[in-house]
């Protein structure tokens, strides 16, 4: 009897364990799916106000699959916002009779690139041209936030806030002296007078050529920004400059009351807390006297997508290249050439795809990886499917390499592009190894054997080979651009040499065809593909996401040093070695990569 009782107890426990496993592996995922992934689409009231509240930084595409859910549900407001989603929501609301007003709540927007800001301001202006009002609010306006707010009919600031417009700057750390003290030799090979990406390893200060180029394009960005924010405000571009130039003195005169300074300068119209603005929203009325109901951008897009049904199979496929262009294993913060290649294959193989919109927001990267993507553009065109490039905040160096053959290139006036130049890096550490008593010795079968090993000084033969390789890559870059853009080689060389241009300047010298955002680029692409308005859909294709990549991206983005030990953060992603491994991994050590990052309030 005792033995039978033990058997009954054992079977009961095993049954409970099986049920628990069933719940873990089947029931729980189903609950999560229907509770998170498969929520019913919200309804849009007949009298609604669209509330757009961008969060974190602006990005070109959301992480896919599980990664996206982790990002949206667990980021707690410090994640990222997809540019195309904001544009789509605002444009749909412009045509939607249910939406009466647009509210821009900008207190969570951390940063954005100038070109991305222009993409969104175009959408805000289109909304305003429909006759509907736009109201903007923030607790503080940095440069990125104010670019969007300045397009509103009414700009509201928290009474404790301020508007800071520091302009644009390029500052870098220079490591030449530190590298010398460590005994490490960094051998830099480059072609292009203005190709300054590797300068911090070669110098202790910015070169005159780099200062000349950086001053030109940052000055152009600042001029474009001042024109942008003054277009709908009661002041001109010169007044914006005066506001920034005299800010310290005026700020002190008002005893640090930045909100009052912004009000007196005409940058804002009212000083109110968000609760007061929200109260106005709750009590405001539509044309028929009904109170307005607020709906967020994400909920609004979900409702729009649920009620829309495509009447055609014709499709424009949108492929995004964002971040450093690299080969090898996929990294969440880079554009992997193998992945992009597969996306182009998918677009070419799909008979419903009539054309490809290539959205580029990249400073470049490895030449081999960039050339792989450029070849996919050419193959897609040869398959009878036109390709148009829409440049975002930047499409420079390798970002321009992959764009050059497109049927059309569209950029915003403040897009950072060009930087047609090449460099290579060979570090050697023979001196510090020697001082540690570590010697290198061996034999080889030819003069090339062990030529570029890191534990031995670089020989004249090695320098000759590397410089020749870089020179050849540069000549290939210039030649390909000249052929693709139908320009003389001498003209391309004059405007190349690693020099950075704004989109406005790039159009003037023939590197860009048109100035405009992704909406205009898509319309032009539809015309090339002989697709009429309303007879096609635009779909972004992304690579499938894995759980491993989701966890890696979430940890590296959201778990800070106060939670994990510093050495682990460095090992995961933050260390220079990790960045070099994933981003500077060209098989021949040749790079078309631009240091074209500007510092401003909300962007670094």
């Amino acid at each position: 009897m005792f033995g039978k009782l033990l058997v009954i107890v054992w079977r009961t426990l095993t049954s409970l364990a099986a049920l628990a496993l069933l719940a873990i592996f089947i029931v729980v995922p189903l609950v999560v799916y229907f509770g998170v992934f498969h929520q019913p689409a919200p309804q849009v009231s007949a009298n609604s106000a669209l509330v757009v509240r961008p969060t974190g930084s602006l990005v070109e595409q959301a992480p896919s699959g599980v990664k996206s859910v982790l990002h949206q549900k667990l980021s707690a407001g410090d994640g990222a916002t997809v540019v195309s989603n904001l544009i789509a929501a605002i444009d749909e609301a412009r045509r939607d009779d249910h939406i009466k007003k647009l509210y821009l709540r900008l207190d969570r927007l951390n940063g954005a690139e100038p070109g991305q800001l222009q993409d969104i301001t175009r959408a805000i202006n289109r909304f305003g041209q429909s006759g509907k009002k736009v109201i903007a609010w923030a607790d503080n306006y940095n440069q990125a936030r104010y670019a969007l707010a300045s397009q509103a009919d009414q700009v509201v600031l928290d009474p404790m806030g301020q508007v800071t417009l520091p302009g644009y700057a390029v500052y870098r750390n220079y490591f030449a002296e530190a590298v010398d003290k460590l005994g490490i030799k960094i051998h830099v090979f480059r072609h292009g007078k203005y190709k300054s990406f590797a300068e911090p390893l070669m110098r202790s200060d910015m070169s005159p050529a780099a200062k000349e180029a950086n001053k030109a394009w940052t000055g152009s960005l600042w001029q474009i920004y001042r024109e942008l924010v003054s277009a709908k405000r009661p002041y001109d571009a010169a007044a914006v400059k005066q506001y920034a130039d005299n800010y310290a003195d005026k700020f002190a005169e008002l005893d640090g009351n930045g909100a009052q300074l912004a009000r007196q300068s005409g940058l804002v119209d009212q000083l109110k807390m968000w609760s007061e603005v929200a109260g106005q929203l709750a009590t405001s009325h539509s044309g028929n006297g009904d109170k307005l109901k607020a709906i967020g951008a994400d909920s609004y897009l979900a409702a729009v997508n649920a009620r829309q049904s495509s009447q055609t199979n014709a499709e424009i496929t949108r492929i995004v290249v964002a971040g450093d262009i690299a080969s090898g294993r996929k990294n969440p913060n880079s554009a992997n050439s193998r992945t992009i290649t597969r996306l182009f294959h998918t677009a070419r193989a799909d008979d419903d795809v009539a054309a490809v919109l290539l959205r580029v927001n990249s400073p470049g990267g490895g030449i081999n990886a960039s050339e792989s993507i450029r070849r996919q553009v050419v193959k897609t065109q040869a398959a009878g499917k036109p390709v148009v490039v829409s440049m975002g905040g930047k499409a420079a160096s390798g970002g321009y390499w992959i764009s050059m053959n497109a049927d059309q290139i569209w950029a915003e006036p403040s897009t950072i592009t060009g930087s047609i130049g090449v460099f290579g890096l060979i570090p050697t550490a023979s001196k510090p190894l020697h001082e540690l008593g570590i010697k290198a010795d061996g034999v080889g079968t030819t003069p090339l054997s062990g030529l570029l090993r890191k534990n031995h000084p670089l020989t004249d033969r090695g320098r000759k080979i590397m410089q020749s390789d870089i020179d050849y890559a540069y000549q290939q870059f210039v030649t390909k651009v000249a052929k693709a853009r139908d320009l003389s080689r001498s003209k391309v060389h004059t405007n190349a040499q690693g020099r950075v241009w704004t989109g406005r300047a790039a159009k003037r010298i023939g590197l860009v065809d048109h100035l405009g955002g992704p909406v205009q680029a898509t319309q032009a692409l539809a015309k090339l593909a002989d697709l009429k308005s309303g007879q096609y859909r635009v779909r972004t294709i992304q690579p499938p996401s894995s759980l491993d990549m989701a966890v890696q991206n979430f940890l590296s983005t959201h778990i800070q040093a106060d939670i994990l030990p510093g050495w682990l953060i460095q090992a995961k992603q933050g260390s220079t070695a990790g960045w070099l491994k994933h981003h500077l991994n060209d098989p021949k050590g040749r790079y078309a990569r631009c240091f074209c990052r500007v510092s401003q309030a909300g962007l670094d």
Side-chain angles (χ1 to χ4, degrees):
M1 288 295 296
F2 182 72
K4 290 181 180 180
L5 182 61
L6 287 177
V7 169
I8 293 172
V9 172
W10 174 252
R11 288 178 177 174
T12 301
L13 292 175
T14 55
S15 298
L16 291 173
L19 289 173
L21 289 174
L22 181 66
I24 292 172
F25 291 106
I26 297 179
V27 177
V28 172
L30 286 175
V31 171
V32 171
Y33 174 78
F34 284 103
V36 177
F37 289 87
H38 194 66
Q39 294 179 345
Q43 298 298 313
V44 182
S45 170
N47 297 288
S48 296
L50 178 65
V51 179
V52 171
R53 192 183 191 186
T55 298
S57 299
L58 298 183
V59 297
E60 293 300 327
Q61 69 178 4
S64 57
V66 178
K67 187 188 303 182
S68 178
V69 175
L70 285 174
H71 179 273
Q72 296 296 329
K73 301 299 180 182
L74 303 179
S75 63
D78 57 356
T81 301
V82 181
V83 173
S84 59
N85 288 350
L86 289 184
I87 295 173
I90 295 171
D91 275 339
E92 285 293 338
R94 168 175 59 90
R95 296 184 288 263
D96 193 340
D97 291 336
H98 292 150
I99 302 297
K100 306 302 181 182
K101 287 184 180 180
L102 170 62
Y103 282 79
L104 303 172
R105 185 175 177 182
L106 303 170
D107 55 322
R108 288 188 179 179
L109 176 62
N110 293 336
E113 295 175 359
Q116 293 174 317
L117 293 173
Q118 286 190 304
D119 289 339
I120 299 173
T121 57
R122 287 180 186 274
I124 297 171
N125 284 328
R126 288 192 293 270
F127 185 94
Q129 289 168 4
S130 69
K132 302 177 182 181
K133 297 296 183 182
V134 182
I135 296 93
W137 177 89
D139 53 353
N140 282 284
Y141 284 111
N142 60 26
Q143 203 155 286
R145 294 176 182 178
Y146 192 71
L148 303 183
S150 66
Q151 310 305 303
D153 297 288
Q154 191 175 80
V155 181
V156 187
L157 172 67
D158 188 277
M160 293 298 292
Q162 60 190 57
V163 180
T164 52
L165 306 177
Y168 298 97
V170 177
Y171 290 101
R172 307 178 69 181
N173 292 325
Y174 290 82
F175 305 98
E177 292 183 17
V179 170
D180 286 343
K181 290 178 181 179
L182 293 172
I184 299 172
K185 296 293 182 182
I186 306 292
H187 305 276
V188 178
F189 306 88
R190 60 179 179 168
H191 198 126
K193 175 183 177 182
Y194 301 99
K195 199 65 180 177
S196 60
F197 182 86
E199 273 195 0
L201 301 174
M202 304 162 55
R203 302 175 56 92
S204 297
D205 58 359
M206 187 179 292
S207 69
K211 284 185 177 180
E212 175 192 344
N214 292 337
K215 186 176 181 179
W217 65 267
T218 54
S220 179
L221 285 183
W222 182 226
Q223 176 64 28
I224 293 170
Y225 181 89
R226 289 184 286 128
E227 293 172 359
L228 174 72
V229 300
S230 63
K232 296 186 66 175
R233 300 297 302 163
Y235 49 77
D236 57 20
V240 180
K241 183 178 185 301
Q242 292 174 359
Y243 178 83
D245 291 348
N246 302 321
Y247 186 82
D249 292 336
K250 297 293 185 181
F251 191 66
E253 288 176 8
L254 292 173
D255 297 324
N257 191 336
Q260 192 59 40
L261 174 58
R263 179 72 179 86
Q264 289 182 2
S265 303
L267 272 68
V268 301
D269 300 303
Q270 296 182 358
L271 302 179
K272 292 183 178 181
M273 298 180 292
W274 172 251
S275 58
E276 296 176 278
V277 176
Q280 283 184 335
L281 169 60
T283 57
S284 60
H285 294 76
S286 63
N288 58 15
D290 294 334
K291 292 182 180 180
L292 297 181
K293 296 181 180 179
I295 184 169
D298 289 341
S299 297
Y300 178 68
L301 275 183
V304 169
N305 292 334
R307 74 190 184 199
Q308 285 181 340
S309 59
S310 178
Q311 299 178 349
T312 177
N313 290 329
E315 177 181 300
I316 289 178
T317 289
R318 183 174 181 267
I319 297 176
V320 177
V321 176
D324 291 279
I325 300 171
S327 306
R329 69 188 290 272
K330 184 183 177 185
N331 183 279
N333 298 313
S334 68
N336 176 263
S337 60
R338 296 180 193 173
T339 301
I340 304 300
T341 294
R342 286 196 294 269
L343 296 180
F344 270 102
H345 276 301
T346 300
R348 286 199 301 273
D350 191 339
D351 293 335
D352 291 337
V353 174
V356 173
L357 179 71
L358 183 61
R359 175 69 171 181
V360 182
N361 189 41
S362 170
I367 284 182
N368 278 28
S370 300
E371 174 63 7
S372 295
I373 298 174
R374 186 196 70 84
R375 291 173 182 174
Q376 293 303 313
V377 172
V378 175
K379 286 182 178 180
T380 304
Q381 292 169 315
K385 301 183 180 186
V387 179
V388 165
V389 164
S390 169
M391 293 180 169
K394 55 183 173 290
S397 287
Y400 191 81
W401 189 301
I402 69 175
S403 304
M404 66 174 89
N405 282 95
D407 294 279
Q408 292 182 15
I409 298 177
W410 287 73
E412 290 289 4
S414 58
T415 295
I416 299 169
T417 187
S419 190
I420 300 169
V422 182
F423 74 92
L425 294 172
I426 299 290
T428 58
S430 57
K431 182 179 178 180
L433 291 175
H434 180 79
E435 292 177 352
L436 289 172
I438 301 173
K439 309 294 179 64
D441 196 10
V443 297
T445 57
T446 75
L448 300 180
S449 299
L451 185 67
L452 299 179
R453 61 189 187 274
K454 307 301 187 293
N455 59 351
H456 191 274
L458 189 64
T459 64
D460 290 339
R461 182 181 285 109
R463 291 190 182 90
K464 184 182 297 184
I465 292 174
M466 278 299 300
Q467 189 60 57
S468 298
D469 197 25
I470 296 302
D471 291 343
Y472 175 77
Y474 176 78
Q475 300 303 334
Q476 285 290 301
F477 201 166
V478 170
T479 300
K480 289 179 186 296
V481 171
K483 182 178 180 180
R485 303 296 305 157
D486 195 23
L487 299 170
S488 68
R489 195 180 178 286
S490 61
K491 181 177 181 180
V492 174
H493 173 65
T494 299
N495 296 320
Q497 302 187 62
R499 183 155 188 167
V500 174
W501 303 95
T502 61
R504 176 183 288 179
K507 183 180 184 300
R508 187 183 70 246
I509 61 178
L511 297 181
V512 165
D513 294 303
H514 305 284
L515 296 180
V519 172
Q520 290 79 10
T522 302
Q523 292 170 347
L525 179 57
K527 188 174 182 180
L528 288 175
D530 199 23
L531 298 174
K532 296 182 180 180
S533 178
Q535 296 183 354
Y536 64 90
R537 64 180 183 272
V538 180
R539 183 172 67 97
T540 301
I541 57 173
Q542 295 181 242
S545 178
S546 65
L547 179 61
D548 173 69
M549 289 301 296
V551 174
Q552 178 183 347
N553 185 67
F554 179 75
L555 288 176
S556 64
T557 304
H558 300 294
I559 306 302
Q560 303 300 321
D562 57 344
I563 300 176
L564 295 181
W567 64 266
L568 182 58
I569 295 292
Q570 278 196 322
K572 287 296 293 179
Q573 189 162 323
S575 66
T576 301
W579 190 89
L580 291 173
K581 177 181 178 182
H582 293 302
H583 298 271
L584 295 185
N585 61 359
D586 187 83
K588 297 187 71 176
R590 304 172 305 173
Y591 303 95
R593 212 284 189 182
C594 167
F595 183 87
C596 40
R597 185 178 66 184
V598 290
S599 298
Q600 59 162 326
L603 171 63
D604 182 36

PDB file of all heavy atoms in Angstrom, residues 511-532:
ATOM      1  N   LEU A 511      25.730  66.065 -57.286  1.00  0.00           N
ATOM      2  CA  LEU A 511      25.744  64.795 -56.563  1.00  0.00           C
ATOM      3  C   LEU A 511      24.343  64.340 -56.174  1.00  0.00           C
ATOM      4  O   LEU A 511      24.126  63.168 -55.869  1.00  0.00           O
ATOM      5  CB  LEU A 511      26.622  64.908 -55.306  1.00  0.00           C
ATOM      6  CG  LEU A 511      28.111  65.196 -55.543  1.00  0.00           C
ATOM      7  CD1 LEU A 511      28.854  65.252 -54.217  1.00  0.00           C
ATOM      8  CD2 LEU A 511      28.733  64.162 -56.471  1.00  0.00           C
ATOM      9  N   VAL A 512      23.404  65.265 -56.156  1.00  0.00           N
ATOM     10  CA  VAL A 512      22.014  64.989 -55.800  1.00  0.00           C
ATOM     11  C   VAL A 512      21.116  65.547 -56.898  1.00  0.00           C
ATOM     12  O   VAL A 512      21.415  66.592 -57.488  1.00  0.00           O
ATOM     13  CB  VAL A 512      21.682  65.635 -54.430  1.00  0.00           C
ATOM     14  CG1 VAL A 512      20.187  65.696 -54.195  1.00  0.00           C
ATOM     15  CG2 VAL A 512      22.362  64.856 -53.305  1.00  0.00           C
ATOM     16  N   ASP A 513      20.009  64.847 -57.173  1.00  0.00           N
ATOM     17  CA  ASP A 513      19.093  65.285 -58.239  1.00  0.00           C
ATOM     18  C   ASP A 513      18.051  66.279 -57.753  1.00  0.00           C
ATOM     19  O   ASP A 513      17.783  67.280 -58.418  1.00  0.00           O
ATOM     20  CB  ASP A 513      18.367  64.068 -58.837  1.00  0.00           C
ATOM     21  CG  ASP A 513      19.315  63.141 -59.551  1.00  0.00           C
ATOM     22  OD1 ASP A 513      20.006  63.592 -60.473  1.00  0.00           O
ATOM     23  OD2 ASP A 513      19.377  61.954 -59.165  1.00  0.00           O
ATOM     24  N   HIS A 514      17.434  65.986 -56.607  1.00  0.00           N
ATOM     25  CA  HIS A 514      16.305  66.794 -56.153  1.00  0.00           C
ATOM     26  C   HIS A 514      16.387  66.991 -54.647  1.00  0.00           C
ATOM     27  O   HIS A 514      16.914  66.150 -53.918  1.00  0.00           O
ATOM     28  CB  HIS A 514      14.970  66.118 -56.490  1.00  0.00           C
ATOM     29  CG  HIS A 514      14.811  65.779 -57.941  1.00  0.00           C
ATOM     30  ND1 HIS A 514      14.529  66.723 -58.899  1.00  0.00           N
ATOM     31  CD2 HIS A 514      14.908  64.580 -58.585  1.00  0.00           C
ATOM     32  CE1 HIS A 514      14.447  66.130 -60.078  1.00  0.00           C
ATOM     33  NE2 HIS A 514      14.669  64.834 -59.920  1.00  0.00           N
ATOM     34  N   LEU A 515      15.805  68.092 -54.171  1.00  0.00           N
ATOM     35  CA  LEU A 515      15.669  68.349 -52.744  1.00  0.00           C
ATOM     36  C   LEU A 515      14.244  68.017 -52.328  1.00  0.00           C
ATOM     37  O   LEU A 515      13.281  68.489 -52.936  1.00  0.00           O
ATOM     38  CB  LEU A 515      15.990  69.809 -52.426  1.00  0.00           C
ATOM     39  CG  LEU A 515      17.422  70.260 -52.707  1.00  0.00           C
ATOM     40  CD1 LEU A 515      17.599  71.730 -52.334  1.00  0.00           C
ATOM     41  CD2 LEU A 515      18.436  69.399 -51.950  1.00  0.00           C
ATOM     42  N   GLY A 516      14.119  67.193 -51.308  1.00  0.00           N
ATOM     43  CA  GLY A 516      12.808  66.779 -50.829  1.00  0.00           C
ATOM     44  C   GLY A 516      12.937  65.598 -49.900  1.00  0.00           C
ATOM     45  O   GLY A 516      14.020  65.019 -49.734  1.00  0.00           O
ATOM     46  N   GLY A 517      11.818  65.216 -49.298  1.00  0.00           N
ATOM     47  CA  GLY A 517      11.801  64.127 -48.344  1.00  0.00           C
ATOM     48  C   GLY A 517      11.343  62.821 -48.951  1.00  0.00           C
ATOM     49  O   GLY A 517      11.181  62.695 -50.174  1.00  0.00           O
ATOM     50  N   PRO A 518      11.096  61.813 -48.109  1.00  0.00           N
ATOM     51  CA  PRO A 518      10.713  60.488 -48.602  1.00  0.00           C
ATOM     52  C   PRO A 518       9.372  60.475 -49.324  1.00  0.00           C
ATOM     53  O   PRO A 518       9.163  59.641 -50.212  1.00  0.00           O
ATOM     54  CB  PRO A 518      10.680  59.640 -47.328  1.00  0.00           C
ATOM     55  CG  PRO A 518      10.537  60.620 -46.202  1.00  0.00           C
ATOM     56  CD  PRO A 518      11.251  61.836 -46.646  1.00  0.00           C
ATOM     57  N   VAL A 519       8.463  61.371 -48.959  1.00  0.00           N
ATOM     58  CA  VAL A 519       7.170  61.417 -49.651  1.00  0.00           C
ATOM     59  C   VAL A 519       7.371  61.831 -51.104  1.00  0.00           C
ATOM     60  O   VAL A 519       6.838  61.206 -52.033  1.00  0.00           O
ATOM     61  CB  VAL A 519       6.209  62.383 -48.938  1.00  0.00           C
ATOM     62  CG1 VAL A 519       4.940  62.577 -49.758  1.00  0.00           C
ATOM     63  CG2 VAL A 519       5.857  61.860 -47.548  1.00  0.00           C
ATOM     64  N   GLN A 520       8.151  62.877 -51.326  1.00  0.00           N
ATOM     65  CA  GLN A 520       8.419  63.335 -52.686  1.00  0.00           C
ATOM     66  C   GLN A 520       9.204  62.287 -53.469  1.00  0.00           C
ATOM     67  O   GLN A 520       8.951  62.068 -54.664  1.00  0.00           O
ATOM     68  CB  GLN A 520       9.190  64.658 -52.668  1.00  0.00           C
ATOM     69  CG  GLN A 520       8.395  65.848 -52.186  1.00  0.00           C
ATOM     70  CD  GLN A 520       8.283  65.911 -50.672  1.00  0.00           C
ATOM     71  OE1 GLN A 520       8.943  65.165 -49.957  1.00  0.00           O
ATOM     72  NE2 GLN A 520       7.439  66.807 -50.185  1.00  0.00           N
ATOM     73  N   ALA A 521      10.160  61.630 -52.801  1.00  0.00           N
ATOM     74  CA  ALA A 521      10.954  60.598 -53.468  1.00  0.00           C
ATOM     75  C   ALA A 521      10.073  59.419 -53.886  1.00  0.00           C
ATOM     76  O   ALA A 521      10.242  58.857 -54.980  1.00  0.00           O
ATOM     77  CB  ALA A 521      12.069  60.118 -52.539  1.00  0.00           C
ATOM     78  N   THR A 522       9.126  59.052 -53.031  1.00  0.00           N
ATOM     79  CA  THR A 522       8.216  57.948 -53.354  1.00  0.00           C
ATOM     80  C   THR A 522       7.318  58.308 -54.531  1.00  0.00           C
ATOM     81  O   THR A 522       7.069  57.485 -55.420  1.00  0.00           O
ATOM     82  CB  THR A 522       7.361  57.591 -52.126  1.00  0.00           C
ATOM     83  OG1 THR A 522       8.218  57.250 -51.030  1.00  0.00           O
ATOM     84  CG2 THR A 522       6.443  56.424 -52.429  1.00  0.00           C
ATOM     85  N   GLN A 523       6.824  59.532 -54.554  1.00  0.00           N
ATOM     86  CA  GLN A 523       5.980  59.970 -55.671  1.00  0.00           C
ATOM     87  C   GLN A 523       6.758  59.951 -56.987  1.00  0.00           C
ATOM     88  O   GLN A 523       6.233  59.532 -58.031  1.00  0.00           O
ATOM     89  CB  GLN A 523       5.443  61.373 -55.382  1.00  0.00           C
ATOM     90  CG  GLN A 523       4.441  61.423 -54.238  1.00  0.00           C
ATOM     91  CD  GLN A 523       4.102  62.837 -53.806  1.00  0.00           C
ATOM     92  OE1 GLN A 523       4.781  63.801 -54.191  1.00  0.00           O
ATOM     93  NE2 GLN A 523       3.052  62.991 -52.996  1.00  0.00           N
ATOM     94  N   ALA A 524       8.017  60.374 -56.942  1.00  0.00           N
ATOM     95  CA  ALA A 524       8.845  60.356 -58.147  1.00  0.00           C
ATOM     96  C   ALA A 524       9.110  58.921 -58.596  1.00  0.00           C
ATOM     97  O   ALA A 524       9.105  58.613 -59.798  1.00  0.00           O
ATOM     98  CB  ALA A 524      10.167  61.079 -57.880  1.00  0.00           C
ATOM     99  N   LEU A 525       9.328  58.025 -57.631  1.00  0.00           N
ATOM    100  CA  LEU A 525       9.568  56.617 -57.950  1.00  0.00           C
ATOM    101  C   LEU A 525       8.333  55.983 -58.573  1.00  0.00           C
ATOM    102  O   LEU A 525       8.442  55.211 -59.542  1.00  0.00           O
ATOM    103  CB  LEU A 525       9.969  55.866 -56.679  1.00  0.00           C
ATOM    104  CG  LEU A 525      10.246  54.371 -56.816  1.00  0.00           C
ATOM    105  CD1 LEU A 525      11.332  54.101 -57.850  1.00  0.00           C
ATOM    106  CD2 LEU A 525      10.646  53.786 -55.457  1.00  0.00           C
ATOM    107  N   ALA A 526       7.159  56.307 -58.050  1.00  0.00           N
ATOM    108  CA  ALA A 526       5.916  55.776 -58.616  1.00  0.00           C
ATOM    109  C   ALA A 526       5.756  56.206 -60.076  1.00  0.00           C
ATOM    110  O   ALA A 526       5.319  55.424 -60.923  1.00  0.00           O
ATOM    111  CB  ALA A 526       4.722  56.238 -57.788  1.00  0.00           C
ATOM    112  N   LYS A 527       6.143  57.439 -60.345  1.00  0.00           N
ATOM    113  CA  LYS A 527       6.056  57.937 -61.723  1.00  0.00           C
ATOM    114  C   LYS A 527       7.012  57.175 -62.629  1.00  0.00           C
ATOM    115  O   LYS A 527       6.661  56.817 -63.767  1.00  0.00           O
ATOM    116  CB  LYS A 527       6.363  59.429 -61.752  1.00  0.00           C
ATOM    117  CG  LYS A 527       6.123  60.092 -63.095  1.00  0.00           C
ATOM    118  CD  LYS A 527       6.315  61.597 -63.015  1.00  0.00           C
ATOM    119  CE  LYS A 527       6.028  62.258 -64.361  1.00  0.00           C
ATOM    120  NZ  LYS A 527       6.210  63.742 -64.281  1.00  0.00           N
ATOM    121  N   LEU A 528       8.223  56.898 -62.145  1.00  0.00           N
ATOM    122  CA  LEU A 528       9.191  56.132 -62.932  1.00  0.00           C
ATOM    123  C   LEU A 528       8.684  54.723 -63.216  1.00  0.00           C
ATOM    124  O   LEU A 528       8.949  54.153 -64.288  1.00  0.00           O
ATOM    125  CB  LEU A 528      10.531  56.054 -62.195  1.00  0.00           C
ATOM    126  CG  LEU A 528      11.370  57.334 -62.126  1.00  0.00           C
ATOM    127  CD1 LEU A 528      12.590  57.106 -61.252  1.00  0.00           C
ATOM    128  CD2 LEU A 528      11.787  57.778 -63.521  1.00  0.00           C
ATOM    129  N   ALA A 529       7.964  54.142 -62.229  1.00  0.00           N
ATOM    130  CA  ALA A 529       7.447  52.782 -62.370  1.00  0.00           C
ATOM    131  C   ALA A 529       6.077  52.745 -63.033  1.00  0.00           C
ATOM    132  O   ALA A 529       5.462  51.676 -63.126  1.00  0.00           O
ATOM    133  CB  ALA A 529       7.376  52.117 -60.999  1.00  0.00           C
ATOM    134  N   ASP A 530       5.597  53.922 -63.482  1.00  0.00           N
ATOM    135  CA  ASP A 530       4.301  54.030 -64.147  1.00  0.00           C
ATOM    136  C   ASP A 530       3.171  53.554 -63.234  1.00  0.00           C
ATOM    137  O   ASP A 530       2.254  52.843 -63.659  1.00  0.00           O
ATOM    138  CB  ASP A 530       4.292  53.236 -65.461  1.00  0.00           C
ATOM    139  CG  ASP A 530       3.159  53.680 -66.383  1.00  0.00           C
ATOM    140  OD1 ASP A 530       2.697  54.826 -66.226  1.00  0.00           O
ATOM    141  OD2 ASP A 530       2.730  52.882 -67.244  1.00  0.00           O
ATOM    142  N   LEU A 531       3.248  53.961 -61.958  1.00  0.00           N
ATOM    143  CA  LEU A 531       2.206  53.635 -60.985  1.00  0.00           C
ATOM    144  C   LEU A 531       1.433  54.907 -60.661  1.00  0.00           C
ATOM    145  O   LEU A 531       2.033  55.940 -60.352  1.00  0.00           O
ATOM    146  CB  LEU A 531       2.826  53.072 -59.700  1.00  0.00           C
ATOM    147  CG  LEU A 531       3.616  51.770 -59.825  1.00  0.00           C
ATOM    148  CD1 LEU A 531       4.288  51.441 -58.500  1.00  0.00           C
ATOM    149  CD2 LEU A 531       2.714  50.630 -60.258  1.00  0.00           C
ATOM    150  N   LYS A 532       0.135  54.833 -60.706  1.00  0.00           N
ATOM    151  CA  LYS A 532      -0.695  55.991 -60.440  1.00  0.00           C
ATOM    152  C   LYS A 532      -1.066  56.054 -58.965  1.00  0.00           C
ATOM    153  O   LYS A 532      -1.132  55.037 -58.280  1.00  0.00           O
ATOM    154  CB  LYS A 532      -1.953  55.958 -61.313  1.00  0.00           C
ATOM    155  CG  LYS A 532      -1.656  56.069 -62.803  1.00  0.00           C
ATOM    156  CD  LYS A 532      -2.933  56.070 -63.629  1.00  0.00           C
ATOM    157  CE  LYS A 532      -2.618  56.195 -65.126  1.00  0.00           C
ATOM    158  NZ  LYS A 532      -3.853  56.193 -65.952  1.00  0.00           N
TER     159      LYS A 532
END
